[in-house]
Coordinates of all heavy atoms in Angstrom, one line a residue:
Chain A
E261 N 37.9 -48.8 138.5 CA 39.1 -48.8 139.5 C 40.0 -49.8 138.9 O 41.1 -50.1 139.5 CB 38.6 -49.1 140.9 CG 37.8 -47.9 141.4 CD 37.3 -48.2 142.9 OE1 38.2 -48.4 143.7 OE2 36.1 -48.0 143.1
D262 N 39.7 -50.6 137.8 CA 40.7 -51.4 137.2 C 41.8 -50.6 136.5 O 41.7 -49.3 136.4 CB 40.0 -52.4 136.2 CG 39.1 -53.4 136.8 OD1 39.3 -53.6 138.1 OD2 38.3 -54.0 136.1
I264 N 44.1 -49.2 133.3 CA 43.7 -48.8 131.9 C 43.7 -50.0 130.9 O 42.9 -50.0 130.0 CB 44.8 -47.7 131.4 CG1 44.7 -46.4 132.2 CG2 44.6 -47.3 129.9 CD1 45.7 -45.4 131.9
S288 N 31.3 -41.4 149.1 CA 32.3 -40.7 149.7 C 33.4 -40.1 148.7 O 33.4 -40.5 147.6 CB 33.2 -41.6 150.6 OG 33.8 -42.6 149.8
A289 N 34.0 -39.0 149.1 CA 34.8 -38.3 148.2 C 36.0 -39.1 147.6 O 36.4 -38.8 146.5 CB 35.3 -37.1 148.9
D290 N 36.5 -40.1 148.3 CA 37.5 -40.9 147.7 C 37.1 -41.6 146.5 O 37.8 -41.8 145.5 CB 38.2 -41.8 148.8 CG 37.3 -42.8 149.4 OD1 36.1 -42.5 149.4 OD2 37.8 -43.8 149.7
K291 N 35.8 -42.1 146.5 CA 35.2 -42.8 145.3 C 35.1 -41.7 144.3 O 35.2 -42.1 143.1 CB 33.9 -43.4 145.7 CG 34.1 -44.7 146.5 CD 34.8 -45.8 145.7 CE 35.1 -47.0 146.6 NZ 36.1 -48.0 146.0
T292 N 34.7 -40.5 144.6 CA 34.5 -39.6 143.6 C 35.8 -39.3 142.8 O 35.9 -39.2 141.6 CB 34.1 -38.2 144.3 OG1 33.0 -38.4 145.1 CG2 33.7 -37.1 143.2
L293 N 37.0 -39.3 143.6 CA 38.2 -39.1 143.0 C 38.5 -40.3 142.1 O 39.1 -40.1 141.0 CB 39.3 -38.9 144.0 CG 39.7 -37.5 144.4 CD1 40.4 -37.5 145.8 CD2 40.6 -37.0 143.3
L294 N 38.3 -41.5 142.6 CA 38.7 -42.7 141.9 C 37.8 -43.0 140.6 O 38.3 -43.6 139.6 CB 38.8 -43.8 142.8 CG 39.8 -43.8 143.8 CD1 39.7 -44.8 145.0 CD2 41.2 -44.1 143.1
L297 N 36.7 -38.9 138.5 CA 37.9 -38.2 137.9 C 38.9 -39.2 137.3 O 39.0 -39.3 136.1 CB 38.7 -37.4 138.9 CG 40.0 -36.8 138.4 CD1 39.7 -35.9 137.2 CD2 40.7 -36.1 139.5
D298 N 39.4 -40.1 138.1 CA 40.5 -40.9 137.5 C 39.9 -42.1 136.7 O 40.5 -42.5 135.7 CB 41.3 -41.6 138.7 CG 42.7 -41.9 138.2 OD1 43.3 -41.2 137.4 OD2 43.1 -43.0 138.6
A301 N 39.5 -40.4 133.4 CA 40.8 -40.2 132.9 C 41.3 -41.5 132.2 O 41.8 -41.5 131.1 CB 41.7 -39.6 133.9
K302 N 41.1 -42.7 132.9 CA 41.5 -43.9 132.4 C 40.7 -44.2 131.1 O 41.2 -44.9 130.2 CB 41.5 -44.9 133.4 CG 42.6 -44.8 134.6 CD 42.6 -45.9 135.5 CE 41.5 -45.9 136.5 NZ 41.6 -46.9 137.6
E305 N 42.0 -42.4 128.3 CA 43.2 -42.9 127.7 C 43.0 -44.2 127.1 O 43.6 -44.5 126.0 CB 44.2 -43.1 128.9 CG 45.6 -43.4 128.3 CD 46.7 -43.2 129.3 OE1 46.6 -42.4 130.3 OE2 47.8 -43.9 129.2
R326 N 33.3 -22.4 139.4 CA 33.6 -22.7 140.7 C 32.7 -22.0 141.7 O 32.4 -22.4 142.7 CB 35.0 -22.4 141.0 CG 36.0 -23.4 140.4 CD 37.4 -23.1 140.9 NE 38.4 -24.1 140.5 CZ 39.1 -24.0 139.4 NH1 39.0 -22.9 138.6 NH2 40.0 -24.9 139.0
W329 N 29.5 -23.7 142.9 CA 29.6 -25.1 143.4 C 29.1 -24.9 145.0 O 29.8 -24.4 145.8 CB 31.1 -25.6 143.5 CG 31.5 -25.8 142.0 CD1 30.8 -25.8 140.9 CD2 32.9 -26.1 141.7 NE1 31.6 -26.0 139.8 CE2 32.9 -26.2 140.3 CE3 34.1 -26.3 142.3 CZ2 34.1 -26.5 139.5 CZ3 35.2 -26.7 141.6 CH2 35.2 -26.8 140.3
E331 N 28.9 -26.0 148.7 CA 30.1 -26.6 149.5 C 30.0 -28.1 149.6 O 31.0 -28.8 149.5 CB 30.1 -25.9 150.8 CG 31.4 -26.1 151.5 CD 31.6 -25.4 152.8 OE1 30.9 -24.3 152.9 OE2 32.4 -25.8 153.7
A334 N 31.1 -29.7 146.4 CA 32.2 -29.1 145.7 C 33.2 -30.2 145.2 O 33.7 -30.1 144.1 CB 32.9 -28.2 146.7
H335 N 33.5 -31.2 146.0 CA 34.4 -32.3 145.6 C 33.9 -33.0 144.3 O 34.7 -33.3 143.5 CB 34.7 -33.3 146.7 CG 33.4 -34.0 147.1 ND1 32.4 -33.6 148.0 CD2 33.0 -35.3 146.8 CE1 31.5 -34.4 148.1 NE2 31.7 -35.5 147.4
Y336 N 32.6 -33.1 144.3 CA 32.0 -33.8 143.0 C 32.3 -32.9 141.8 O 32.7 -33.4 140.7 CB 30.5 -34.0 143.2 CG 29.8 -34.5 142.0 CD1 30.1 -35.9 141.5 CD2 28.9 -33.7 141.3 CE1 29.4 -36.3 140.4 CE2 28.2 -34.2 140.3 CZ 28.6 -35.5 139.7 OH 27.8 -36.0 138.6
V338 N 34.6 -30.7 141.4 CA 36.1 -30.6 141.2 C 36.3 -31.8 140.2 O 37.1 -31.7 139.2 CB 36.9 -30.7 142.5 CG1 38.4 -31.0 142.1 CG2 36.8 -29.5 143.2
A339 N 36.0 -33.0 140.5 CA 36.2 -34.2 139.8 C 35.6 -34.0 138.3 O 36.3 -34.4 137.4 CB 35.6 -35.4 140.5
H341 N 34.8 -31.3 136.8 CA 35.5 -30.2 136.1 C 36.8 -30.6 135.4 O 37.0 -30.4 134.2 CB 35.8 -29.1 137.1 CG 36.5 -27.9 136.6 ND1 36.0 -27.0 135.8 CD2 37.9 -27.5 136.8 CE1 37.0 -26.0 135.6 NE2 38.1 -26.4 136.1
H342 N 37.5 -31.3 136.2 CA 38.8 -31.7 135.6 C 38.7 -33.0 134.7 O 39.6 -33.0 133.7 CB 39.8 -32.1 136.8 CG 40.2 -30.8 137.5 ND1 41.0 -29.8 136.9 CD2 39.8 -30.2 138.7 CE1 41.2 -28.8 137.8 NE2 40.4 -29.0 138.9
I346 N 40.3 -32.9 131.0 CA 41.1 -33.9 130.3 C 40.6 -34.4 129.1 O 41.4 -34.6 128.1 CB 41.2 -35.1 131.4 CG1 42.1 -34.7 132.6 CG2 41.9 -36.4 130.7 CD1 41.9 -35.6 133.8
Chain B
E152 N 41.1 -22.7 148.9 CA 39.7 -22.8 148.6 C 39.1 -21.4 148.1 O 37.9 -21.4 147.8 CB 39.0 -23.4 149.8 CG 39.5 -24.8 150.0 CD 38.8 -25.5 151.1 OE1 37.5 -25.6 151.2 OE2 39.5 -26.1 152.1
D153 N 39.9 -20.4 148.1 CA 39.4 -19.1 147.6 C 39.3 -19.2 146.1 O 39.7 -20.2 145.5 CB 40.4 -18.0 148.0 CG 40.3 -17.7 149.5 OD1 39.4 -18.1 150.1 OD2 41.3 -17.0 149.9
I155 N 40.2 -18.1 142.1 CA 41.4 -17.8 141.3 C 41.7 -16.4 141.5 O 42.9 -16.0 141.6 CB 41.2 -18.2 139.9 CG1 41.1 -19.7 139.7 CG2 42.4 -17.8 139.0 CD1 40.8 -20.2 138.3
S179 N 40.4 -35.7 155.0 CA 39.4 -36.3 154.2 C 39.6 -36.0 152.7 O 40.2 -35.1 152.3 CB 38.0 -35.8 154.7 OG 37.8 -34.5 154.4
A180 N 39.0 -37.1 152.0 CA 39.2 -37.0 150.6 C 38.7 -35.9 149.9 O 39.1 -35.4 148.8 CB 38.7 -38.3 149.9
D181 N 37.6 -35.3 150.5 CA 37.1 -34.1 149.8 C 38.0 -32.8 149.9 O 38.1 -32.1 149.0 CB 35.6 -33.7 150.4 CG 35.7 -33.3 151.9 OD1 36.6 -33.8 152.6 OD2 34.8 -32.5 152.3
K182 N 38.7 -32.8 151.0 CA 39.8 -31.7 151.1 C 40.9 -32.0 150.1 O 41.6 -31.1 149.6 CB 40.4 -31.6 152.5 CG 39.4 -31.0 153.5 CD 39.2 -29.5 153.2 CE 38.2 -28.9 154.1 NZ 37.6 -27.6 153.6
T183 N 41.3 -33.4 149.9 CA 42.3 -33.7 149.0 C 41.9 -33.1 147.6 O 42.7 -32.6 146.8 CB 42.4 -35.2 148.9 OG1 42.6 -35.7 150.2 CG2 43.6 -35.6 148.0
L184 N 40.7 -33.3 147.2 CA 40.1 -32.8 146.0 C 40.2 -31.3 145.8 O 40.6 -30.8 144.8 CB 38.6 -33.3 145.7 CG 38.4 -34.5 144.9 CD1 37.1 -35.1 145.1 CD2 38.7 -34.3 143.4
L185 N 39.8 -30.7 146.9 CA 39.7 -29.2 146.8 C 41.1 -28.5 147.0 O 41.3 -27.5 146.5 CB 38.7 -28.7 148.0 CG 37.2 -29.0 147.8 CD1 36.5 -28.8 149.0 CD2 36.7 -28.2 146.6
L188 N 44.2 -31.0 144.5 CA 43.9 -31.0 143.0 C 43.5 -29.6 142.6 O 44.1 -28.9 141.9 CB 42.9 -32.1 142.6 CG 42.4 -31.9 141.1 CD1 43.6 -32.1 140.2 CD2 41.4 -33.0 140.8
D189 N 42.3 -29.2 143.0 CA 41.8 -28.0 142.6 C 42.5 -26.7 143.1 O 42.6 -25.7 142.3 CB 40.3 -27.9 142.9 CG 39.5 -27.0 141.9 OD1 39.7 -27.1 140.7 OD2 38.7 -26.2 142.4
A192 N 45.3 -26.6 140.7 CA 44.9 -26.0 139.4 C 44.6 -24.6 139.4 O 45.0 -23.9 138.5 CB 43.6 -26.8 139.0
K193 N 44.0 -24.1 140.5 CA 43.8 -22.6 140.6 C 45.1 -21.8 140.7 O 45.2 -20.7 140.1 CB 42.8 -22.4 141.8 CG 41.4 -22.8 141.5 CD 40.4 -22.3 142.6 CE 40.6 -23.1 143.8 NZ 39.6 -22.8 144.8
E196 N 46.6 -21.6 137.3 CA 45.9 -20.6 136.5 C 46.3 -19.2 136.9 O 46.4 -18.3 136.1 CB 44.4 -20.9 136.5 CG 43.7 -20.0 135.4 CD 42.3 -20.4 135.2 OE1 41.9 -21.6 135.3 OE2 41.5 -19.5 134.7
R217 N 49.9 -45.8 138.7 CA 48.7 -46.2 139.3 C 48.9 -47.6 140.0 O 48.2 -47.8 141.1 CB 47.5 -46.3 138.3 CG 47.0 -44.9 137.9 CD 45.7 -45.1 137.1 NE 45.1 -43.7 136.7 CZ 45.3 -43.2 135.6 NH1 46.2 -43.7 134.7 NH2 44.8 -42.0 135.3
W220 N 49.8 -47.4 143.7 CA 49.0 -46.6 144.6 C 48.4 -47.5 145.6 O 47.5 -48.4 145.3 CB 47.9 -45.8 143.9 CG 48.5 -44.7 142.9 CD1 49.8 -44.4 142.8 CD2 47.8 -44.0 142.0 NE1 49.9 -43.5 141.9 CE2 48.6 -43.2 141.3 CE3 46.4 -43.9 141.7 CZ2 48.2 -42.3 140.3 CZ3 46.0 -43.0 140.7 CH2 46.9 -42.3 140.0
E222 N 45.8 -48.6 148.4 CA 44.4 -48.4 148.3 C 44.0 -47.3 149.3 O 43.1 -46.4 148.9 CB 43.6 -49.7 148.6 CG 42.1 -49.5 148.2 CD 41.3 -50.8 148.4 OE1 42.0 -51.8 148.5 OE2 40.1 -50.7 148.6
A225 N 45.1 -43.9 147.7 CA 44.7 -43.8 146.3 C 44.2 -42.5 145.8 O 44.6 -41.8 144.9 CB 43.9 -45.0 145.7
H226 N 43.2 -42.0 146.6 CA 42.6 -40.7 146.3 C 43.6 -39.6 146.3 O 43.5 -38.6 145.6 CB 41.5 -40.4 147.3 CG 41.9 -40.2 148.7 ND1 42.2 -41.4 149.6 CD2 42.2 -39.1 149.5 CE1 42.5 -40.9 150.7 NE2 42.5 -39.6 150.7
Y227 N 44.6 -39.6 147.2 CA 45.7 -38.7 147.3 C 46.5 -38.7 146.1 O 46.9 -37.6 145.4 CB 46.5 -38.9 148.6 CG 47.7 -38.0 148.7 CD1 47.6 -36.6 148.9 CD2 49.0 -38.5 148.5 CE1 48.7 -35.8 149.0 CE2 50.1 -37.7 148.6 CZ 50.0 -36.3 148.8 OH 51.0 -35.5 149.0
V229 N 45.6 -39.8 143.1 CA 44.8 -39.3 142.0 C 44.9 -37.9 141.9 O 45.2 -37.3 140.8 CB 43.3 -39.7 142.2 CG1 42.5 -39.0 141.1 CG2 43.1 -41.3 142.0
A230 N 44.8 -37.1 143.0 CA 44.8 -35.7 143.1 C 46.2 -35.2 142.6 O 46.3 -34.3 141.8 CB 44.5 -35.1 144.4
H232 N 48.6 -36.8 140.9 CA 48.7 -37.2 139.5 C 48.1 -36.2 138.5 O 48.8 -35.8 137.6 CB 48.1 -38.6 139.2 CG 48.1 -39.1 137.9 ND1 49.3 -39.6 137.3 CD2 47.1 -39.2 136.9 CE1 49.0 -40.0 136.0 NE2 47.7 -39.8 135.8
H233 N 46.9 -35.8 138.7 CA 46.2 -34.9 137.8 C 46.7 -33.5 138.0 O 46.8 -32.7 137.0 CB 44.7 -35.1 137.9 CG 44.3 -36.5 137.3 ND1 44.3 -36.7 136.0 CD2 43.9 -37.6 138.0 CE1 43.8 -38.0 135.8 NE2 43.6 -38.6 137.0
I237 N 48.1 -31.3 134.9 CA 47.6 -30.0 134.6 C 48.9 -28.9 134.5 O 48.9 -28.1 133.6 CB 46.6 -29.4 135.7 CG1 45.4 -30.2 135.6 CG2 46.3 -27.9 135.6 CD1 44.4 -30.1 136.7

Side-chain angles (χ1 to χ4, degrees):
Chain A
E261 296 183 52
D262 289 344
I264 293 177
S288 65
D290 60 332
K291 286 292 172 196
T292 307
L293 265 161
L294 289 167
L297 174 59
D298 205 43
K302 289 188 283 189
E305 190 165 335
R326 286 190 178 91
W329 297 351
E331 195 174 338
H335 63 279
Y336 173 71
V338 170
H341 175 74
H342 290 289
I346 290 167
Chain B
E152 296 182 52
D153 289 345
I155 293 178
S179 66
D181 61 331
K182 285 293 172 197
T183 307
L184 265 162
L185 289 167
L188 174 59
D189 205 45
K193 288 188 283 189
E196 190 167 335
R217 287 189 177 93
W220 298 350
E222 195 174 338
H226 63 279
Y227 174 70
V229 170
H232 174 73
H233 290 288
I237 291 166

